[in-house]
Amino acid sequence: MKILLFVSTKQRLENPYNLGGIEILNYELFNYLKNKHEVVFSKKVSQKLVSINWDIIISSNDARVFNKLKSKRKILWLHNKLQIEKALRKKQLLSILFNKIEAVFVSDYLKKNTSIFYNFFKREVIPNFLPSIFEYSKFPKIKQNNINLFVWSVQRKRGLDELINVWKNKIYPLNLNCELHIFGISFKNKNFDKYKIFHHGKIPRNKLLNFYKKSVGMICLGYDETFCLNAIEAMKMGLPVISLGKTALKDIIKHKKNGYLIDKIDNIDKPIIDLVNLDMSKKKML
């Protein structure tokens, strides 16, 4: 069986530890498939690819490739929302309308929020799998120090300004010996160190997991998450996730079992205090 896994990205795929969330999932899917089938992993449509009659083409978030290549089955692996306006702008709409495409969504939330205007041949939900480097059982627990680390590790900035404001005015004055470490997004550091807020920017995922191992919890508000791989990674590392429970996170987080659901960001101090006060043996929710 000949399978093409097509990934529309500008990132180099040689080193998975430096890839973003979607790219590392593409990389691991390729590694899984190549052990069972004849698989080609490509970022560009070459003349050689055009000349092949594929059994299956799996395209990550990009339907345009189906107009250029021949295949018995065409699978569109959707990680993000595809609004009609975006489909028109990205020139994907005609390809969706005129090809027999099977859509695979990474969450029920994403499936429900994808327009029925798209005439997909099939619609199926297959949740994202976990990158293998985050398999918690492979790593010994690091001895906790007396500092309670919380991490914010998402690409989108929405909600971060509010979180910083609450941290400065409600968490820091409590002297809980807590630190907030922010990863993934870029913003101008306004000298928040005095409030125990530290910005790291984007770092390789193998370094990120070392922070997870030492942390008490993750804060992921989830305003616009279609799956939130970061939250799943954190949970696998034993971290409870604090969230507003919106979008796809409401299907993942079970209150006080693998995380905390809050009704508004101003109440985020309650789960943080709760986690800090837990016995050390209970801080890791596995």
Side-chain angles (χ1 to χ4, degrees), residues 9-245:
T9 180
K10 295 180 180 179
Q11 291 198 32
R12 300 182 63 180
L13 302 175
E14 290 80 5
N15 186 354
Y17 292 113
N18 291 325
L19 297 176
I22 293 177
E23 283 78 12
I24 197 171
L25 289 174
N26 292 327
Y27 180 88
E28 296 223 355
L29 177 60
F30 168 70
N31 284 333
Y32 173 79
L33 291 173
K34 75 177 183 181
N35 293 324
K36 299 185 176 184
H37 305 285
E38 181 183 348
V39 184
V40 174
F41 194 18
S42 180
K43 300 191 297 182
K44 296 180 180 179
V45 177
S46 66
Q47 194 59 42
K48 182 178 179 180
L49 296 182
V50 173
S51 67
I52 298 173
N53 288 317
W54 300 96
D55 292 297
I56 301 175
I57 296 177
I58 303 172
S59 182
S60 181
N61 275 340
D62 192 345
R64 293 172 296 181
V65 67
F66 299 128
N67 274 341
K68 302 175 182 178
L69 303 174
K70 295 169 290 201
S71 177
K72 296 175 183 176
R73 291 183 64 188
K74 300 174 181 180
I75 299 174
L76 181 61
W77 189 16
L78 284 167
H79 303 264
N80 300 318
K81 292 180 182 178
L82 185 60
Q83 307 291 359
I84 299 294
E85 180 275 330
K86 182 179 179 180
L88 281 168
R89 177 164 42 86
K90 295 288 186 177
K91 299 180 180 179
Q92 296 199 56
L93 185 57
L94 289 179
S95 183
I96 292 173
L97 295 178
F98 291 101
N99 284 282
K100 192 176 181 180
I101 296 174
E102 301 172 46
V104 173
F105 303 91
V106 297
S107 68
D108 285 314
Y109 171 81
L110 181 57
K111 180 182 176 181
K112 292 174 183 176
N113 285 272
T114 298
S115 175
I116 59 173
F117 176 75
Y118 300 127
N119 59 336
F120 294 123
F121 173 60
K122 289 183 180 179
R123 291 175 178 244
E124 185 175 359
V125 176
I126 301 178
N128 270 335
F129 50 86
L130 187 74
S132 59
I133 62 171
F134 286 92
E135 288 291 339
Y136 184 76
S137 59
K138 293 182 180 179
F139 300 95
K141 290 183 180 180
I142 292 178
K143 184 179 180 181
Q144 284 277 29
N145 53 29
N146 61 351
I147 299 177
N148 298 291
L149 303 182
F150 287 83
V151 293
W152 168 292
S153 175
V154 290
Q155 297 297 329
R156 299 167 180 82
K157 191 178 178 181
R158 189 174 179 187
L160 181 56
D161 292 337
E162 295 95 324
L163 172 61
I164 289 175
N165 185 57
V166 172
W167 188 279
K168 288 166 56 178
N169 295 301
K170 297 187 73 172
I171 305 300
Y172 178 74
L174 294 174
N175 294 317
L176 296 174
N177 207 17
C178 292
E179 294 180 358
L180 175 62
H181 292 262
I182 301 168
F183 299 91
I185 63 174
S186 299
F187 71 99
K188 293 181 180 179
N189 195 325
K190 300 178 182 178
N191 193 27
F192 293 139
D193 291 14
K194 64 180 180 180
Y195 298 106
K196 302 293 182 67
I197 300 173
F198 304 98
H199 177 234
H200 302 271
K202 187 175 181 180
I203 65 172
R205 301 182 86 77
N206 55 338
K207 292 185 178 180
L208 178 60
L209 67 86
N210 286 325
F211 268 90
Y212 286 170
K213 288 192 290 182
K214 295 183 288 186
S215 297
V216 172
M218 167 181 270
I219 300 170
C220 184
L221 299 179
Y223 280 106
D224 52 1
E225 296 291 349
T226 55
F227 183 79
C228 195
L229 181 63
N230 302 89
I232 299 299
E233 291 170 348
M235 289 179 188
K236 188 64 177 180
M237 296 297 293
L239 298 185
V241 176
I242 303 171
S243 174
L244 292 171

